[in-house]
């Protein structure tokens, strides 16, 4: 249908070009959301049936490289919705033992939530830093923060709504429940707080791999 649409459009007309760009943006967002929902429903089933641990495939991961790659793949999506995404920090060459797919899922969920909370033109920031025996991942948005009445339900699966995030009505879905389950599986911790300057920040703490505190400096991508 997209090819048919393009074949019938005069791209010399600025209005037509803008319509196609809007169509592509809407399509990209819809596809991304459908993929996220499908992945989260699958993970939710594995978690409540206590089968997620059997799927765990640990690998050595350099957090800084991992985050840089993730942000580079999300830049186009962020651009289509009018939001900036950036990466900050350093893991000082430290390495963690983690399942790459699950770690990516957890960070994508946090970034997806941050996208929805952040006004157009503002920035979502993914940070990583080394702290004592842990690597700290954090996702910061530029929204209004988390309302106090929602804190008790942030990581719960008791809500009747089955969705991948906090929707337009403020209803809480299963996304953060999945993030916590993934973090727990890696013997990590998760925390969320409202920032004095506005917005919210979610942090995930993963233990540095034993005997591999500093292996090498990260390679630039």
């Amino acid at each position: 249908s997209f090819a048919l649409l393009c074949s019938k459009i005069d791209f010399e007309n600025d209005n037509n070009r803008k319509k196609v760009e809007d169509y592509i943006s809407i399509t990209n967002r819809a596809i991304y959301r459908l993929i996220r929902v499908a992945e989260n429903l699958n993970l939710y089933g594995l978690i409540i049936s206590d089968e997620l641990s059997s799927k765990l495939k640990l690998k050595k991961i350099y957090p800084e490289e991992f985050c840089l790659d993730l942000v580079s793949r999300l830049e186009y999506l962020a651009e289509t919705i009018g939001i900036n995404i950036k990466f900050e920090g350093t893991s000082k060459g430290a390495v963690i033992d983690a399942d790459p797919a699950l770690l990516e899922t957890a960070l994508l969920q946090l970034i997806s939530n941050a996208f929805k909370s952040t006004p157009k033109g503002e920035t979502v920031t993914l940070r990583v830093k080394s702290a004592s025996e842990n690597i700290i991942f954090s996702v910061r948005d530029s929204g209004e923060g988390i309302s106090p009445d929602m804190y008790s339900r942030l990581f719960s699966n008791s809500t009747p709504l089955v969705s991948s995030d906090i929707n337009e009505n403020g209803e809480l879905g299963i996304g953060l429940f999945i993030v916590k389950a993934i973090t727990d599986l890696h013997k990590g911790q998760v925390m969320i707080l409202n920032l004095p300057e506005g917005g919210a920040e979610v942090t995930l703490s993963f233990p540095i791999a034993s005997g591999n505190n500093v292996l090498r400096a990260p390679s630039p991508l």
Side-chain angles (χ1 to χ4, degrees):
S1 61
F2 180 67
L4 180 62
L5 173 68
C6 290
S7 68
K8 296 180 178 296
I9 288 179
D10 176 14
F11 284 96
E12 297 299 322
N13 186 304
D14 289 340
N15 289 333
N16 288 342
R17 188 183 302 110
K18 180 63 168 58
K19 289 179 180 178
V20 172
E21 290 174 352
D22 290 343
Y23 179 85
I24 293 173
S25 175
I26 293 170
T27 301
N28 283 338
R29 293 200 300 271
I31 291 173
Y32 174 76
R33 182 173 176 80
L34 285 172
I35 291 172
R36 299 294 307 131
V37 169
E39 289 178 344
N40 280 1
L41 288 174
N42 178 58
L43 282 172
Y44 182 77
L46 292 172
I47 292 167
I48 62 175
S49 62
D50 201 25
E51 296 179 16
L52 185 60
S53 59
S54 66
K55 307 292 183 181
L56 190 67
K57 297 180 180 179
L58 296 178
K59 293 185 178 180
K60 301 295 183 185
I61 292 177
Y62 291 93
E64 189 171 351
E65 293 180 8
F66 192 88
C67 291
L68 282 167
D69 176 65
L70 184 59
V71 167
S72 70
R73 288 187 280 122
L74 289 173
E75 285 177 341
Y76 178 73
L77 176 65
E79 183 180 352
T80 65
I81 59 179
I83 292 174
N84 303 308
I85 182 170
K86 67 177 182 178
F87 170 76
E88 293 181 353
T90 176
S91 54
K92 300 179 180 178
V95 65
I96 61 174
D97 290 321
D99 184 307
L102 292 180
L103 176 59
E104 180 172 304
T105 293
L107 293 176
L108 280 175
Q109 182 61 57
L110 298 183
I111 293 170
S112 178
N113 286 350
F115 279 169
K116 292 175 176 60
S117 302
T118 299
K120 285 189 176 182
E122 298 296 328
T123 300
V124 169
T125 304
L126 172 61
R127 290 186 172 95
V128 64
K129 66 179 181 179
S130 175
S132 184
E133 298 178 351
N134 297 292
I135 290 294
I136 309 296
F137 299 90
S138 65
V139 176
R140 176 177 295 194
D141 65 45
S142 303
E144 298 179 355
I146 305 296
S147 61
D149 63 317
M150 296 183 74
Y151 269 105
S152 63
R153 298 189 296 136
L154 281 175
F155 302 103
S156 170
N157 70 333
S158 60
T159 173
L161 175 69
V162 178
S163 71
S164 63
D165 44 46
I166 299 173
N167 71 8
E168 293 79 4
N169 299 318
E171 297 172 302
L172 199 64
I174 60 174
L176 291 177
F177 169 73
I178 291 173
V179 170
K180 186 176 187 305
I182 291 173
T183 307
D184 289 346
L185 193 60
H186 289 83
K187 297 179 174 58
Q189 294 182 329
V190 57
M191 182 177 68
I192 185 168
L193 71 157
N194 288 327
L195 302 169
E197 63 271 27
E201 182 178 62
V202 185
T203 61
L204 307 180
S205 174
F206 283 66
I208 292 175
S210 177
N212 294 284
N213 288 2
V214 179
L215 294 184
R216 62 173 174 79
S219 302
L221 297 181

